[in-house]
Amino acid sequence: MEPPNISEAEWPVMETLWDASPLTASEVAKALGPAHGWADNTIRTMLTRLVNKGAIEIREVAGSPKQFAPVVVRDDCVRAESESFLKRIFRGSSKPLLLHFSRDASLTPEEVRELKRFLDESIRSTDSH
Amino acid sequence: MEPPNISEAEWPVMETLWDASPLTASEVAKALGPAHGWADNTIRTMLTRLVNKGAIEIREVAGSPKQFAPVVVRDDCVRAESESFLKRIFRGSSKPLLLHFSRDASLTPEEVRELKRFLDESIRSTDSH
DNA sequence: AAATATTTTCTACAAACGTAGTGGACAAAT
DNA sequence: ATTTGTCCACTACGTTTGTAGAAAATATTT
């Protein structure tokens, strides 16, 4: 099950549902807050489209508003988007990507330590033979 | 000058021109090769649209096919896309992004060293005062 | 010049996106 | 029950994207 394409505007909606679900449409709207300046109906439209895409599903609850919950796992969507991004913008090559994002990362020293550990591990697992 | 939005399909065209320019439409088509399976006219349409977006420009040459050349700098486009990607998919937070892409990066030990240097620098530039 | 190949300009058209309005259905409050 | 508020199903509509055909304008070859 390839995760469906989630459009730019749809991402915040998905994030909301990944953070907490199931939620009714108005709960989603409340969670998103006024920051986006979206009319309620806009959010409902996005929810409908996400249902059609198979990204989320409806939970019918007798006598009360419908609820929505993710079907696709966030991690899968992140992976898919990341892969496509890597290919498209960095020609599929991780190193330049990592360099790019390292430059402006403004991480704390602990975060840097953690990352370096990861990098070391990625070597070890690579040159196994 | 904010770089204009370059769509998914348009990126390979831009890359071609960033690699070598100016090129005529058919040179672009040749450079792209048959891999994409695009009709020539498709490529021409993309070129026209990129001109309209201000991403590339036409160099008129009397008595021979028009040539196209980038107006926007690759690095600016990469930066813009990267920022939007970081915000959208990783909630603006570099660390998870770096972790994600480190995992499957399969870098050589030298590359890892280089990256670590960059990470260290990003600390230093942060706590400067 | 006539025929042929190439280039360029227009037009097309469906799917996806961003953004929402309308109007009916249903539930809650008076 | 009537009003009022909420929810939801439909419809709308301009833009961007992916993909290209048709036809006119030019250039090239014979």
Side-chain angles (χ1 to χ4, degrees), chain B residues 31-51:
Chain B
L32 282 167
H36 299 79
W38 282 324
D40 271 27
N41 267 342
T42 300
I43 293 167
R44 283 162 196 284
T45 298
M46 288 195 276
L47 287 169
T48 303
R49 286 180 182 170
L50 285 167
V51 169

Side-chain angles (χ1 to χ4, degrees), chain B residues 28-85:
Chain B
V28 171
K30 180 147 38 124
L32 282 167
H36 299 79
W38 282 324
D40 271 27
N41 267 342
T42 300
I43 293 167
R44 283 162 196 284
T45 298
M46 288 195 276
L47 287 169
T48 303
R49 286 180 182 170
L50 285 167
V51 169
N52 290 337
K53 288 180 179 186
I56 66 179
E57 65 176 8
I58 293 176
R59 305 266 177 85
E60 300 276 1
V61 185
S64 56
K66 293 179 174 163
Q67 297 186 311
F68 298 88
V71 170
V72 289
V73 177
R74 185 178 130 88
D75 210 58
D76 288 348
C77 295
V78 168
R79 217 190 311 281
E81 274 295 322
S82 296
E83 194 183 320
S84 136
F85 172 76

Side-chain angles (χ1 to χ4, degrees), chain B residues 100-117:
Chain B
H100 178 93
F101 283 102
S102 300
R103 199 187 342 261
D104 317 302
S106 69
L107 303 165
T108 68
E110 298 93 273
E111 289 173 327
V112 168
R113 263 198 294 286
E114 186 178 358
L115 262 171
K116 286 161 114 179
R117 258 205 323 282

